[in-house]
Amino acid sequence: MIKSRYDPWPSIVRFTKGDYEHRFGGPSCHDGVVPKKHKVPMHLMMLLDMNDPLVPIEPDESDVRFLPLYYPLRYGFGGGEVQYSVDSDDKITILSALHKEDVDEGEDYPYPDQFPELPASLVPLSYVQHRAIVASEHGSNHFNEDPESKADFQLLKDLDYWKLVRFGDSFSPVQGGIQWPCQNKRCEWRDKPVRVDVFASFTGVLTDDISIWGEYGDSVEIYFCLMSCCKTITAVNRCT
């Protein structure tokens, strides 16, 4: 099992080798990543080494070390959603009805079979950097001539805020808070809407060379969340 880390420090991803074994992209590496009746696996977005204290999720009485963040990019017309459990370092279980979705194919869905595998490290945000992000997401998003607002905008530019993978627990998802009808057959909250705890967000464009949705990438964000009821993972997307 996994659980939220107490009071996680906000951080961002940089595609450089660090002290922990994080990686972005690459091949899917868990049993269970292919929905029943299909042959196409979910895309591995990141594999996180939970030994890193900046990872906002940690093991709970288990020997799981790596947290896989999978997203069903080839399902749901590019907007798939999924709930899954992390059973071990080599197995997950898809809990939602992803097998009922068709596989997206054709020129309208030019997704790679997998994203390029890159080393990754988590870099802590400073107080002023995090404040600027929170202000932009909870405020009007219009920066005026006020000196403090202009300084915040410069901080966002320096961070390349519009091309970020973020971790922590202070998120304001596009379109508001997220609730998910739990689809875990073993959970007492099955089929009931449950509050989720967002712990990661991916912008649609991550680098000049990596766009999750191609030409549509700059208008969509992916959120990874922990179900408060049964400590399983949900991955959803929202359009800006």
Side-chain angles (χ1 to χ4, degrees):
M1 294 288 291
I2 54 177
K3 64 179 181 178
S4 295
R5 193 181 296 275
Y6 176 74
D7 197 19
W9 194 269
S11 64
I12 59 176
V13 169
R14 292 299 187 224
F15 298 116
T16 57
K17 179 66 176 175
D19 295 332
Y20 299 94
E21 297 181 34
H22 307 305
R23 73 172 168 94
F24 170 84
S28 301
C29 55
H30 289 74
D31 290 339
V33 296
V34 181
K36 296 177 181 178
K37 303 179 182 179
H38 290 297
K39 298 181 179 180
V40 177
M42 297 192 292
H43 278 67
L44 179 62
M45 305 303 297
M46 284 200 70
L47 190 65
L48 295 167
D49 182 350
M50 290 189 287
N51 283 337
D52 186 345
L54 288 175
V55 176
I57 303 296
E58 62 182 355
D60 183 10
E61 299 180 357
S62 73
D63 57 359
V64 176
R65 174 179 173 181
F66 292 96
L67 177 68
L69 301 185
Y70 283 105
Y71 182 74
L73 188 60
R74 292 282 301 277
Y75 296 88
F77 299 102
E81 300 178 333
V82 70
Q83 179 182 354
Y84 62 91
S85 62
V86 180
D87 304 326
S88 69
D89 279 335
D90 53 19
K91 181 184 178 183
I92 68 167
T93 299
I94 296 174
L95 302 171
S96 51
L98 198 59
H99 61 281
K100 295 182 179 180
E101 299 281 357
D102 293 329
V103 177
D104 302 335
E105 297 180 296
E107 295 182 359
D108 290 338
Y109 305 102
Y111 312 125
D113 291 338
Q114 63 189 48
F115 291 109
E117 183 173 332
L118 300 172
S121 57
L122 303 191
V123 178
L125 290 168
S126 69
Y127 167 77
V128 292
Q129 289 172 328
H130 188 232
R131 184 198 64 188
I133 290 174
V134 171
S136 72
E137 294 181 345
H138 289 267
S140 66
N141 287 320
H142 295 290
F143 292 88
N144 54 33
E145 295 303 312
D146 177 74
E148 186 172 329
S149 294
K150 291 175 68 176
D152 281 351
F153 185 64
Q154 185 60 50
L155 285 168
L156 297 182
K157 290 178 64 177
D158 293 342
L159 286 170
D160 209 358
Y161 167 71
W162 298 272
K163 295 179 182 178
L164 278 186
V165 180
R166 289 174 50 210
F167 292 97
D169 64 355
S170 298
F171 290 92
S172 180
V174 176
Q175 300 181 15
I178 299 171
Q179 284 196 328
W180 179 268
C182 184
Q183 296 172 56
N184 182 357
K185 294 180 179 179
R186 297 182 178 181
C187 182
E188 62 180 329
W189 284 84
R190 182 186 179 189
D191 296 329
K192 300 176 182 177
V194 175
R195 174 185 58 81
V196 303
D197 298 318
V198 180
F199 65 85
S201 70
F202 287 65
T203 56
V205 178
L206 301 179
T207 71
D208 292 339
D209 300 316
I210 301 175
S211 176
I212 296 174
W213 280 275
E215 63 181 295
Y216 308 105
D218 58 357
S219 62
V220 185
E221 293 185 354
I222 295 175
Y223 298 99
F224 286 91
C225 320
L226 190 68
M227 298 290 291
S228 58
C229 54
C230 56
K231 309 307 180 190
T232 55
I233 300 293
T234 57
V236 304
N237 78 84
R238 294 291 185 268
C239 295
T240 59

